Amino acid sequence: MASTPSFDPFTQQFTLVDGSGVPFNVTIPEVDDFILYNLQICINYGAQLGACFVLLVLLLVLTKAEKRTSKIFILNCISLGINLIRNVLMCLYFTGPFSETYAFFADDFSRVPSSAFGISIAATVLSLLVLITIECSLLLQVHVVCKTLRKKYRQIILIASVNVALLTIGFRFALVVMNSEATMALQYTLPLDWIASAANITTTVSICWFCTAFVTKLAYALVQRHKLGLRSFGPMKIVFIMGCQTLIIPVIFSVLEYTSDIPEMDSNVITLVTIFLPLSSLWASATPEGRQTLTPAISAPKFLRSFRTSNATNWTDNQGLSSSTIQCDSSPISSPARERFAGIVEDFGAPTPADIEAAYARRINLAMARQGL
């Protein structure tokens, strides 16, 4: 007697009938994959939605009144608001009529209302608008940090940045158009993979370009401050840290799009940049401004070590600063050095490293405040 093949109930199939009366088979693993796909995507967009909502509320509540009219603040709020709406629409799409079991497996979308088509297209268009606001914000910040460069180098960087931004927006615009046409025609077999991949790659390259230019300029400024003994943790280092974070983390998610089984990982790239940009402003504005002290282990620059503590103390008393911030050496100075700084000592007293750092920090903070950073 021949043995019957073993029956696996977890892989069995069942029969459905389409609208024209033609039967077709569907297996349980296919249904499981369909449900898991929609669940993973909704979790992904739901997490993005929650992060954008929380940060938008914090940005509106914690931003100082004088900075709420800056261009950076306006762009950050717009990008967070648009991205929040985009994530809501994406969740509605993957829980709406397009994601019904029979409609998906039978490829029958005859009962899908026009509002569902509008949600799908609107979500795609909003992704383009979010990208435009991000590119404008990155371009503006690169323009701010490059103001101290020579005109020739500044123009080269800005022209290259504009071209990179336009190329990125162009690929995203093409993806929006082709995706919207495929949605309206219900033709999901169109070759959209290449344009989606190109849009993801150009977006990642654009973020890397802007963040590299931004971080490189800040790193150079931090090195110069370090040489002067100005090593306290302030807004400039915070912006530098967030710039490095914006450079690295979105790239990781962009690569995961090609190496991970989790769908729509590249959608996190835009959301991460949208979140990191205002987060850096909030963190930097939360640090104390004005007086900044040097760490005890750091000695003053050589040209300041020669001043006596008494002169420095008198100067800080006249300026309303605490003498506890002084980290200068009290050794006597040589005659040439005394003559070189005689006018400064006579008029103002001896400046200390903390005074130099405070003045430098005020200049940096003023420039950042004008742009809303």
Side-chain angles (χ1 to χ4, degrees), residues 212-278:
T212 300
F214 189 73
V215 168
T216 302
K217 183 61 175 66
L218 286 178
Y220 177 78
L222 289 174
V223 169
Q224 299 303 313
R225 287 166 53 89
H226 184 82
K227 292 180 179 179
L228 294 175
L230 312 178
R231 307 181 186 182
S232 63
F233 188 80
M236 183 177 291
K237 289 187 177 180
I238 292 174
V239 176
F240 176 78
I241 292 172
M242 293 302 299
C244 295
Q245 179 174 300
T246 309
L247 173 64
I248 297 173
I249 297 181
V251 175
I252 296 176
F253 280 87
S254 180
V255 174
L256 287 176
E257 172 66 18
Y258 305 100
T259 60
S260 175
D261 294 332
I262 302 177
E264 300 289 342
M265 290 297 291
D266 60 334
S267 64
N268 292 276
V269 174
I270 294 178
T271 299
L272 286 171
V273 179
T274 304
I275 292 174
F276 288 161
L277 292 178

Side-chain angles (χ1 to χ4, degrees), residues 16-19 24 26 34 96-113 186 188:
L16 297 177
V17 181
D18 62 13
F24 62 95
V26 179
F34 170 72
F98 277 108
S99 297
E100 292 181 355
T101 304
Y102 169 78
F104 176 80
F105 286 103
D107 198 20
D108 184 2
F109 302 100
S110 57
R111 295 190 180 182
V112 175
L186 294 176
Y188 295 98

Side-chain angles (χ1 to χ4, degrees), residues 264-344:
E264 300 289 342
M265 290 297 291
D266 60 334
S267 64
N268 292 276
V269 174
I270 294 178
T271 299
L272 286 171
V273 179
T274 304
I275 292 174
F276 288 161
L277 292 178
L279 186 61
S280 62
S281 300
L282 289 177
W283 187 12
S285 62
T287 58
E289 297 181 1
R291 291 183 298 175
Q292 300 181 17
T293 61
L294 294 178
T295 57
I298 304 302
S299 60
K302 293 181 180 179
F303 71 93
L304 290 174
R305 296 178 186 175
S306 53
F307 290 107
R308 294 183 180 275
T309 307
S310 58
N311 289 334
T313 304
N314 293 334
W315 189 86
T316 54
D317 291 340
N318 293 334
Q319 300 299 323
L321 299 176
S322 173
S323 60
S324 61
T325 63
I326 305 301
Q327 300 293 338
C328 288
D329 196 346
S330 60
S331 58
I333 64 174
S334 60
S335 298
R338 186 181 299 277
E339 294 175 0
R340 182 181 302 175
F341 298 102
I344 299 177

